[in-house]
Amino acid sequence: MVKEQHYINTLYYQIEQTAKYCRYLGSQLFSKLNIGVSVEELVTLDTIFLHDELCQRDLAKLILKDRPATGRILSALEEKGYIVRNADTKNNRLVRKISITQSGEEILKSVTNVLKKYLEKIPHELSEEKIEEMKNNMREFRAILEKEVEMNI
Amino acid sequence: MVKEQHYINTLYYQIEQTAKYCRYLGSQLFSKLNIGVSVEELVTLDTIFLHDELCQRDLAKLILKDRPATGRILSALEEKGYIVRNADTKNNRLVRKISITQSGEEILKSVTNVLKKYLEKIPHELSEEKIEEMKNNMREFRAILEKEVEMNI
DNA sequence: ATAATACTGTTGTAAATGCAACACATTATT
DNA sequence: AATAATGTGTTGCATTTACAACAGTATTAT
């Protein structure tokens, strides 16, 4: 009945531990493959590509970073010419809407291809169905947690 | 066929995103409940409790932190009287073996109980079987990643 | 024996993260 | 109209994290 006597046996901790491996794998791949962007920058580019015309705060909510961190990543990406930030309005408020540039789309596509080759090899031991199931489980669990956690973004 | 065109749709990223929610929930609970230890300290205490007589490096491998971070957490826990580090030998090498104190066991038990009450309420929407299945999936996936990632601990 | 390598733990430092506070503008309240 | 509250983005700082380098010791190689 009381199986969860220890925090390190909870699902929360199991997910955090697994995420650490994912993070380490990501940063090791990125430095090994000499990719011109960081993992965070790729995630940001990817998110912008899939949600054009975002303002910074909405982007921050998607990549789960706070506003200062988001702004700094965007400044770096703008410096490299991968995105542009245009003054615009949202509900009559001045916001900076983000768009990916041609150069940004190219680097996104090229990095995605390089990564895909490496990442495809790894979970060969897991079936496609299993991976899809795990992804759905993650989304479902996150939807539950969303109600409990204050994100302050 | 090519479904993974985007990094943010990979299992890796899904797990990382979910882990962020877990981390935020943990730290928010800890500050709300005025617990006397940090999440990291609880994890460390829990791990020591379940694996007595560890040396620091072996503990680091379990909690997935590097040696400096592990040493600092242990110094804080020793300062509070929750653990002791005794000089000992392992393969004729001088190591500092860690043991939890009476006071450490008490705080571990009390914090675990307080947390359990809160955490039990949350995943009510997920069945016990589903949670167990997800934990097993995490362990299985971690076992696969272990072969690909250099941990340098 | 001497040098080279490996293991454990520490110190120091650069980078990332989290958070509070601010500036500025718009909307809501009184 | 004046004040308060909300929304967006920035700056600054304290904490955490990752990593390289070191000290000290034991093992291995030559």
Side-chain angles (χ1 to χ4, degrees), chain A residues 50-109:
Chain A
L50 292 177
H51 305 80
D52 204 29
E53 294 276 295
L54 282 173
C55 74
Q56 290 194 193
R57 191 172 210 170
D58 288 342
L59 172 63
K61 288 173 187 165
L62 289 174
I63 62 178
L64 298 185
K65 296 197 176 295
D66 64 3
R67 285 173 286 160
T70 304
R72 284 169 190 137
I73 292 173
L74 290 175
S75 296
L77 286 174
E78 197 170 36
E79 190 99 10
K80 299 180 186 176
Y82 295 151
I83 63 151
V84 288
R85 287 186 279 192
N86 297 312
D88 200 337
T89 55
K90 168 187 174 185
N91 304 333
N92 277 342
R93 279 201 180 72
L94 189 70
V95 295
R96 310 185 70 180
K97 284 205 175 159
I98 308 153
S99 301
I100 192 167
T101 64
Q102 182 66 32
S103 156
E105 289 197 18
E106 285 164 10
I107 186 89
L108 174 60
K109 192 173 292 183

Side-chain angles (χ1 to χ4, degrees), chain B residues 24 55-57 67-68 72 90 93 95-96:
Chain B
Y24 294 154
C55 74
Q56 288 194 195
R57 188 170 211 169
R67 285 173 286 158
R72 284 166 190 141
K90 166 186 174 184
R93 278 201 182 75
V95 295
R96 308 185 71 179

Side-chain angles (χ1 to χ4, degrees), chain B residues 71-89:
Chain B
R72 284 166 190 141
I73 292 173
L74 289 175
S75 296
L77 286 174
E78 198 170 36
E79 189 99 9
K80 298 181 186 177
Y82 296 151
I83 63 150
V84 289
R85 288 187 278 192
N86 297 313
D88 201 337
T89 56

Side-chain angles (χ1 to χ4, degrees), chain A:
Chain A
M1 184 191 277
V2 184
K3 277 195 61 182
E4 311 282 318
Q5 274 299 10
H6 291 278
Y7 181 75
I8 65 175
N9 290 330
T10 60
L11 176 58
Y12 307 88
Y13 187 65
Q14 293 296 316
I15 292 176
E16 285 190 53
Q17 295 283 83
T18 311
K20 280 191 189 177
Y21 280 90
C22 295
R23 258 201 310 286
Y24 294 154
L25 178 64
S27 63
Q28 281 170 22
L29 270 187
F30 270 61
S31 64
K32 179 160 64 181
L33 301 178
N34 262 19
I35 296 177
V37 293
S38 69
V39 183
E40 305 307 335
E41 288 172 345
L42 174 68
V43 165
T44 306
L45 274 180
D46 219 4
T47 305
I48 294 168
F49 181 84
L50 292 177
H51 305 80
D52 204 29
E53 294 276 295
L54 282 173
C55 74
Q56 290 194 193
R57 191 172 210 170
D58 288 342
L59 172 63
K61 288 173 187 165
L62 289 174
I63 62 178
L64 298 185
K65 296 197 176 295
D66 64 3
R67 285 173 286 160
T70 304
R72 284 169 190 137
I73 292 173
L74 290 175
S75 296
L77 286 174
E78 197 170 36
E79 190 99 10
K80 299 180 186 176
Y82 295 151
I83 63 151
V84 288
R85 287 186 279 192
N86 297 312
D88 200 337
T89 55
K90 168 187 174 185
N91 304 333
N92 277 342
R93 279 201 180 72
L94 189 70
V95 295
R96 310 185 70 180
K97 284 205 175 159
I98 308 153
S99 301
I100 192 167
T101 64
Q102 182 66 32
S103 156
E105 289 197 18
E106 285 164 10
I107 186 89
L108 174 60
K109 192 173 292 183
S110 104
V111 171
T112 300
N113 270 330
V114 173
L115 278 182
K116 194 156 66 75
K117 286 183 192 149
Y118 277 80
L119 293 181
E120 263 175 356
K121 294 189 296 193
I122 296 174
H124 204 252
E125 314 178 32
L126 291 178
S127 68
E128 278 300 321
E129 296 73 31
K130 183 100 177 191
I131 291 177
E132 280 306 313
E133 178 200 322
M134 288 170 70
K135 288 203 271 188
N136 286 333
N137 284 341
M138 286 299 111
R139 293 194 192 96
E140 183 181 358
F141 192 49
R142 212 156 62 231
I144 293 173
L145 292 178
E146 261 171 10
K147 303 174 200 158
E148 303 293 330
V149 188
E150 297 229 14
M151 287 309 278
N152 317 320
I153 297 182

Side-chain angles (χ1 to χ4, degrees), chain B residues 39-128:
Chain B
V39 183
E40 306 306 335
E41 288 173 345
L42 174 68
V43 165
T44 307
L45 275 180
D46 218 4
T47 305
I48 294 169
F49 181 84
L50 292 177
H51 306 81
D52 203 29
E53 294 275 296
L54 283 173
C55 74
Q56 288 194 195
R57 188 170 211 169
D58 289 341
L59 171 64
K61 289 173 186 163
L62 290 174
I63 62 178
L64 297 185
K65 297 196 174 297
D66 64 1
R67 285 173 286 158
T70 304
R72 284 166 190 141
I73 292 173
L74 289 175
S75 296
L77 286 174
E78 198 170 36
E79 189 99 9
K80 298 181 186 177
Y82 296 151
I83 63 150
V84 289
R85 288 187 278 192
N86 297 313
D88 201 337
T89 56
K90 166 186 174 184
N91 306 333
N92 278 343
R93 278 201 182 75
L94 188 70
V95 295
R96 308 185 71 179
K97 285 206 175 157
I98 307 152
S99 301
I100 192 167
T101 63
Q102 182 66 30
S103 155
E105 290 198 16
E106 285 164 11
I107 187 91
L108 174 60
K109 190 172 294 184
S110 103
V111 171
T112 300
N113 270 330
V114 173
L115 278 182
K116 193 156 66 75
K117 286 184 193 151
Y118 278 79
L119 293 181
E120 263 175 357
K121 292 188 296 190
I122 296 174
H124 204 251
E125 314 178 33
L126 291 177
S127 67
E128 278 300 319

